[in-house]
Structure formats: structure tokens, C-alpha cells
Amino acid sequence: MSVSLFEKQPVHNPLANVLSRAGEIILGKDRQIKMAMCCILARGHLLIEDVPGVGKTTLSHVLASLLGLQYQRIQFTSDLLPADVVGVSIFDRESSTFRFHPGPIFSQVILADEINRASPKAQSALLEAMEEHQVTADGETMKLPEPFFVIATQNPSHQIGTFPLPESQLDRFLMRIKLGYPDKAAERALLKGEDRREMIARITTAMSVEELTSLQKDVTRIFVSDALVDYVQALILHTRDSAHFEMGLSPRAGVALLRAAQSWALMSGRNQVLPEDVQTVAPAVVGHRLRPVTNGETKILDPAQELIRAVPIP
Amino acid sequence: MLNQTALTLANITWLLAGMAFVIAPHALRLPFWVTGVCVAAGAWRWWIARYALRVPPWWLMGLIALVVAAGARIEYGRWFGREVGVALLIIMLCLKALEMRMKRDAMIPIFMGFFLAITNFMYSQTILMGLYMFVCVWIFVAALIGFNRINTEATLKQRLVPAGWLLLQAIPMMLVLFFLFPRLSGSLWSMPQDERSQTGLTDSMAPGDISRLSVSEAVAFRVEFDGPVPQTEDLYWRGPVLSEQDGRAWRIYPEAIRTKIEYLPQGPPIHYTVTLQPHNKPWLFALDLPAAAPDDNVFFLGDFQMRARAPVVNLKAYEVTSHLRYSVGTGLTTKQLQPYLNFDSRLNPRAIAYGKALREANPDPKVLVESLLARYNKEFEYTLEPPRLGANPVDEFFFDTKKGYCEHYAGSFVLILRAARIPARVVTGYQGGEINPITRQLVVRQAEAHAWSEVWFADLGWVRVDPTFAVSPLRINRGMSETFGPIGVMNNLIDADKLGLLRQIAFSWDAMNTQWNRWVVGFSQDRQRDFLEGLGMREVDWRSMLIWLIVAVFSTGGVVGMFLYVRAVQTRKEPIVAAYERLCVKLAKTGIERALHEGPLDYWQRLQRCEPNIAGNAAPLFETYVALRYATHAGGPSHDVRDFVNRVRRFRVD
């Protein structure tokens, strides 16, 4: 058994390619890029939360372009209507019938920009699409293209003019990541460097759709041992028993945690999931699903870290 | 921090619920203001927990405690005794619950609650009370579990299920202690009785007086015999002799004091010492018939009543000599016998007429007495719960209800004999007694109070005749408790008729009650001995019982412990995990300890940064561990695991 865990594993080439090329455009955010990629490989939707101007949109743009996916951007505003997302039927005079004009959602990657600026009605138009990979308009259900991702960005909810996403919708995002400000060196390179928009325009595909789909299949084949399931269960149980969280993790959250960990293990070049994988993805996976109890004295700043520290690995 | 989180609203509510459950049966007996104080304290405590308020300051608590204690002293007029003791305990429980500040404080009300559960048995020992107290204890254990949880609140299930298991695990030990702990002859639940409810024989006897005593387990006196203990049927303890009929009641005949009577012993003397419980009356008790007064402070009345010169208010011990066979009063004159022929001719006309007719039919007094006894034997029924009697109690009892207790028999018997011109009188006292095998003392209880009669024959003098014996010989031969055991069961069985299904249920319930009384409430010293001898133990005395108790406690503890240990072993960690933990313990010597939430990879990397050499040596072990535990062949061939265990054993951190 010569699995050397402790040396860098040769990672699947196109994947490394995607990561390094994205890193060239989005400077100093390698970990966030990797996490976003991890989310995509796990076939999950991604929510990027941060203040305006740190590169949320750029990141989603870059990923879609590198993966060679068909890409649509929906700018969510407070007057956005569901039809603006899904599409609308318009009367065609020549054929004397209604013809459905597909909305921007019929696309492989949706960038739902500033999702929490839209009214709940428009937000919910995304719901069905995200969960079922299909939309229903005029009583007709239509399949969305495969692969299908939603990368949504949102402003922190304390900003003006936001409708916080309901729990049900938050739960549909596999991960929520934060970008944060770039460090000093990265920011300097950004200021001195080329315009990012032009760089994005020049991006060529680094991974084919077939390669992406096969990687996504590989993720599900990453081995999960009983011991690891025990650990994931212990984590979930802790959130349900603990007095620090208002509500425990849902079964869907458990599945998400395991799937994301598998994806991370694949990206780390391993065939099996380790507790470390779970711990690595946990902040992104459970951070938006856990609401810490705020009773004045004990306010948890980072619920995911709190959770990881509280649960021993069995 | 933790201490404060223990006193959460839910935990407090559980504690208060347990307290409410355990106090509820007492509430009706307590003065209303005590119940009021309890409710107020409980509500206040709940309010404090609900709105996170401060508990009352110590001086206020002290003031409340003083006022309430003073109130109890005024209410009961004493500090000691069952009623006042229970009341004070309940008040203190509620006040203690009110002033709880931290987790440690909560332990006290819980354990007081356990104790309070016991006090309920001083008032009622039924199955239902037993079940109810089980529920109380369950709630308290559940509350205890809640208080001992850290960080998280226990749910209903998390409280009740473990609490139930704890109680179930305690059952074997409970049974061992119950069956093997040496029983004292006293009632399990006897307590210093309050003066106002003190029981004992009085100087008169009306229907209902003695049957009232029959439910009292209080000890009347204890007797130590110098020689062997006489047969139970000879154990007639003579007390007040009632010669005067006054309406419904029989009373002591005041003139009897003067008369001196000749006493001819006809059997061997029996020497014994009586230790009499204080009963506030002057009379003493002695085996029928005492020969000589023990000391100057004791004297005899003409009817062989033994009296002290002052009421017995303290425990009194005196030596007496009695003869079981005797001849007394053969030479009495008609004038001397006249008081024993008087009766109240205004009442009970049918009984009086019957007595007169009996005399005409049987000129020989002995034949008459025997025929009267035969009538008792044939038609009457002995019961502890006789029907109520009206203005002519003897008439109603003798001709109509025909159910009664010893005072009915003795009273009607004497009245009919007097109507038949045969001198007779009522003697009250106690009959029987129970031998305590530890002290070898005979214990006589209030429940053994009895009334019989003495009849005068010209050739024999005064002869003891016990009409109750004619009705229920068992009562005399075997003693009170064995005849009746569960008091009232017999009556319930008789009444539960013509009800079909209800009757079935009543029978089953009575059968259950009988078993309960036999095995739990009435599990007396004798029963315990019978039971243990039935198990094959010989020569059961308290020493051997103690030895068996110790042996059984340890073996039961051992068996239960073994069972729990086996369960723990079954859920023990897998060998691979245990070996990995040993590896981590070895590596911890480097000063780099694995955190509980740290995965193998993270730990190894941290190790490598600080101790690259050791980390390098350990790397293959980590790889094997990860492969065995998390990779595809996790839980694979056990020789790999054994190999890993051995390699960990050989691994050294230098």
C-alpha cells in the first residue's frame, strides 16, 4: 500500500489548469477559487457573499469561461419579475400561437447577481430551477441544460435595500463563500495590471464539458468509509443537540457536507474522504445553514469552526 | 458559567413538578397555610427562573423560615412528631427550592424530595401509593439528569428514558435489600404518634371503640418472659374490667376497688417483665391472672385490674407473676355479685327477653353458656368493619346484623347472661402478641386490643369465656394480623358480587392487594423468616441475615456491574482506533498533542513542522491508519489491523 498521503498528489491536469488560470485573473484568492471549483464538481450551487467590488462577479465569469460553459447573467433588482428569469410566452401573429421565449435561466451557468436585492417572488423563481434542474412556465415543464449551475452573489444583508434569502433558499446553495479584500501584494498587482474585463474576454476554455461531467461522476465514486460517516453524523447530531445553534443541520445539509468533502478529496488527489476534507469544506457548507443563538452573552462568531472544535473525530 | 446554566427554566420546572407530585398527597392533611406557603414558594421560584430574576436575599429567606417555623410550632404545639415533622420538611423543601443559586443547591431539594416520598407511606401503604411514589422518584431522577447535563438542555425523552433505566437497574438491589434486610418487629412505617391521636384502651367500651384500634400498628407494650412464652391462646393481657352497663357503653364499676377476693393459683407461676408504652391512663396490663403487685406504686382492684397510682406518662417497666390456671371468687356472696347482674333494662328489650327465655330453657348455667356460645358459633360473623348500630345496639347486633367485632360479642354476651341471672363482666385488654426473634420479646400492639368476658359459676368462681373465640377461633389461635392480614379485604370480596366483569376486576384487584399486603406492607419479621426458610436457609436470625445481606448485595452488585461492563465492552472502540489512540499518546510525548477534533493528516503535518524526524518515522503508521480506517479496504482483513496494532506497539518516540 504505497499511497503516500503526505506528498502533493498529481492533480487531474485540466483541473489544475483551470485553478491556475483562474488564479492569474483573480489574484490572491486561490483557496476561494478552489472552493468554488469544489462546489461545481459536487454539482452544487454557489453563493458568494461579500461587499461590492471585491470580485464576486469576476470569479463567476472566469469560472464559466474557463469551463467553456454557456453563460447568462441576471441582475437581480427589486422590480425583477419571475418572467424575467424563466421566460415569457408571446403571441406569434404568423402562426397565431403563443411561443415561449426562454428566459436567461436556460443556460448552463447562471450568474444571479445581487440575488438579495430582488423581491422574494423573483427569488423563488430560481428555487425550482436550482433544485429540480427544470422550470415550469405556462403549465409546461422544461428541462434545463446540463450541466446547470447557479452562482449567486449577494451583499451582506445589513446593506440597504436587501431582502435576506429565506432559509429554504439558502439551504439550496451547496456552499456560501466569502471573498474578502485582497492582500497588499495582490491588490498592488491588480492596480498595476491589465483590465480584468479584457482578460476575461480573452479567456479560452481550459476544460471541456465532457471532462467536467466525468469529473463530477468521479466525485461520487470517492470512497466514504463508515468511520467517516460516523464523523459526519456526529457533527450533524451536535448541531441538533447543542444549545448554541437555533436549529440543527438538515439531512440535506448532511448530504451536502459529504458530497463537498468527496469533491475536495478528489481535488486533493485522494480516493477516500478524510475528516480533514469534511473540516475544510464545513465552513463553506454549513456556515450559511447554522444560525447561532444570540442570547447576549454567548455569540459565536464562526459557527462552523465552533462545530468542528466541539466534535471529536470518532 | 455551567452552574448558572443548570438552573434553567426547564430544569426548575421539572424539579417543581416533582415537588408538586410528592407534596400533593400531603396537601390535604396539611394546614391550609402550609400548602399556601408551598404554592407561593414554588410559583415564586418559577417566576425567578422564567424571568431570570434574583433569588430572595438571605435575610428575607431567614425571616420567612423563622415565621413559618414559628407558625408550625403554634399550629402543632410541638417540634417532634409525624405531622409536624412532615410539615416542617415540606416547608423547608419549598424554601430551599426557592433560594437555589447554583447547581449544587438543586441537589438538596431533589434528595429531600426522595425522602419526602417515603413520608407518604406513613399515611398510606396501598399499591396505588406505591406506584405514585415510583412516578415521583422517576420525576426527581429525571430532574437530576437535567441538572447534570452540561451545555445542552435535556429533552423529555433524554430525561425520562435514562431515569427509567436507572430505576430499573436499581431493582435487583432493591429486592435484595427488601427481602434480606433484618426486619424489626415494629411496623415499617411507625412513627412517634401525635398525642392527639394517641390510641389505647379507655375506661369504657362502646361498639366501635376497639375496632378503631384494630388499624393501629402502635406498640402497646413489650413483654420479656423469664421462661418459655405461653401459647398464643393463653396470652390474654388483662386491662380495664368493665362491670357497669350504662346505655350503649360498658364502664368500670367504681365500687370494685374495695372488694378483696381470694385467689387460688392452680398452675406454675410465670414470671415476666412488661415494658408499657405511655398511654396516659393509670391501668397496667398483666397476663390473666396476675398474682401479686410488683411494687408499692401498683395495686389491684377487686376484679384483678392492676393499676398504677398515677397515669402512665413515661415508658414504664414492671415485673409481674401470673398463673394461667387459677380459681378465684368461689366464695362470693349474692350481695358481692349483685353489681355483675345489673343492666340497663330500658335498652335492648329483645336481648333481655332472650336472656330470660334462655334461663328458663336451661336451668344449668354452664349448659346455658354453652348453648349461647353455640349460637354465636353458628350464626355470627367476625368482621373489622361492622355495620352501624342504632339505639338498641345489642338487639340490632344479636338479632339483625350478626356481624361484629370483639366488643360486640363480649358486650352482648355479658348482657344476655345478666338477663339470664348469671353474673358476668366485660374484660378489656389485649390478646396475643408477636415474638421478635432478635430481642426475644413479645410485642403487643394496639391492633391486638381485645374484649372478652368473665362468667361467675358457683363452683368455679370467675371463669374467662371469650365469645369471639366461638365465632372466630383463628383470631385467638393465630393472632390478629394473620387472621385479617390485609384489613378489609375479606369484606371487599364479600361485597363484590353480582357485577359480572366488575366483579372479576374487583376480585383481581383484591387478589393483587392481598399479595401486596402479604409481600410488601405486611412483610413482617415472621414472613421474612418463613420466606428465607422457604429458600432453604436454616436458623434465620439477624446475624445470618446480615451475612446473607452482605453476600447478596455484593453478588447482585457484581452481576449488575458485570452486565453493564459486558455492554460497555460490546460498544468498545475498535482495535484500530484504540491502537491509533495509543500511537497518539506516544507521540504526545513530543509535546505535540493531538486535539480531539484533529484529523490524522492535520496532526501529522503539525508534527512534521515541529518534529520532522519523528513525523517521518511515524508516517507509514499514519498512512496505514488512514488506509485501514478511511480507504476502500477499511474494516478489511483483520491481519492488517493486527499488524498495525503490533507496529504501534513497537513504535518508540525517542
Side-chain angles (χ1 to χ4, degrees), chain B residues 76-334:
Chain B
Y76 292 98
R78 62 213 320 258
W79 286 122
F80 299 104
R82 181 179 65 172
E83 313 289 340
V84 68
V86 168
L88 282 174
L89 193 64
I90 287 174
I91 291 168
M92 292 309 153
L93 168 64
C94 294
L95 294 184
K96 185 67 211 173
L98 178 55
E99 69 157 10
M100 290 185 302
R101 285 163 213 275
M102 46 186 116
K103 177 176 157 187
R104 194 184 55 193
D105 292 337
M107 301 298 114
I108 298 171
I110 285 179
F111 288 109
M112 280 173 88
F114 287 141
F115 187 75
L116 217 77
I118 298 173
T119 61
N120 278 301
F121 290 115
M122 292 171 188
Y123 297 91
S124 165
Q125 294 130 40
T126 59
I127 298 182
L128 287 178
M129 186 54 82
L131 289 174
Y132 184 76
M133 285 306 130
F134 182 83
V135 171
C136 288
V137 170
W138 195 0
I139 294 174
F140 276 118
V141 173
L144 196 56
I145 286 172
F147 279 115
N148 280 298
R149 273 180 79 101
I150 296 168
N151 290 334
T152 59
E153 198 79 83
T155 62
L156 183 73
K157 201 175 149 198
Q158 282 167 342
R159 288 170 193 274
L160 288 180
V161 172
W165 273 111
L166 283 174
L167 292 183
L168 285 182
Q169 283 165 9
I171 282 179
M173 197 60 84
M174 181 194 83
L175 291 177
V176 163
L177 290 173
F178 182 82
F179 282 115
L180 283 174
F181 195 85
R183 289 305 158 109
L184 303 175
S185 60
S187 158
L188 192 55
W189 309 111
S190 70
M191 275 282 287
Q193 293 280 327
D194 283 322
E195 212 164 313
R196 58 174 91 163
S197 64
Q198 194 143 38
T199 53
L201 292 171
T202 59
D203 57 358
S204 71
M205 181 190 85
D209 280 355
I210 293 181
S211 50
R212 177 178 51 83
L213 291 180
S214 68
V215 293
S216 167
E217 280 293 303
V219 172
F221 53 87
R222 296 182 172 84
V223 188
E224 211 161 333
F225 287 93
D226 292 354
V229 180
Q231 299 288 310
T232 310
E233 57 256 40
D234 285 331
L235 292 175
Y236 278 85
W237 301 96
R238 194 182 185 88
V241 178
L242 314 175
S243 306
E244 194 173 64
Q245 198 214 4
D246 175 15
R248 290 167 58 92
W250 289 84
R251 296 186 193 287
I252 291 178
Y253 178 55
E255 299 295 314
I257 298 163
R258 308 285 164 241
T259 333
K260 279 284 171 198
I261 292 178
E262 198 185 358
Y263 178 38
L264 297 170
Q266 286 182 345
I270 294 173
H271 303 285
Y272 54 93
T273 308
V274 176
T275 311
L276 181 63
Q277 297 292 121
H279 59 59
N280 271 329
K281 303 288 190 309
W283 42 81
L284 308 177
F285 297 92
L287 203 55
D288 224 12
L289 194 63
D295 56 59
D296 288 348
N297 289 325
V298 177
F299 62 94
F300 278 112
L301 299 186
D303 44 17
F304 291 92
Q305 243 185 95
M306 200 161 66
R307 297 193 102 161
R309 295 199 189 276
V312 179
V313 290
N314 295 312
L315 201 67
K316 182 177 176 66
Y318 50 91
E319 287 174 34
V320 198
T321 302
S322 290
H323 296 268
L324 295 178
R325 307 282 172 264
Y326 52 86
S327 162
V328 64
T330 42
L332 289 177
T333 62
T334 319

Side-chain angles (χ1 to χ4, degrees), chain A residues 6 225 241 276 279 308 313-314, chain B residues 152 596-597 599-602 629:
Chain A
F6 308 107
S225 69
D241 284 347
E276 282 86 342
Q279 292 175 354
I308 287 167
I313 295 173
Chain B
T152 59
L596 283 178
H597 64 272
L601 211 58
D602 285 347
R629 188 143 172 80

Side-chain angles (χ1 to χ4, degrees), chain B residues 419-441:
Chain B
R421 304 296 303 159
I422 297 173
R425 61 195 181 192
V426 174
V427 185
T428 59
Y430 297 88
Q431 208 289 318
E434 195 182 8
I435 303 277
N436 178 332
I438 297 170
T439 59
R440 306 305 305 167
Q441 279 180 332

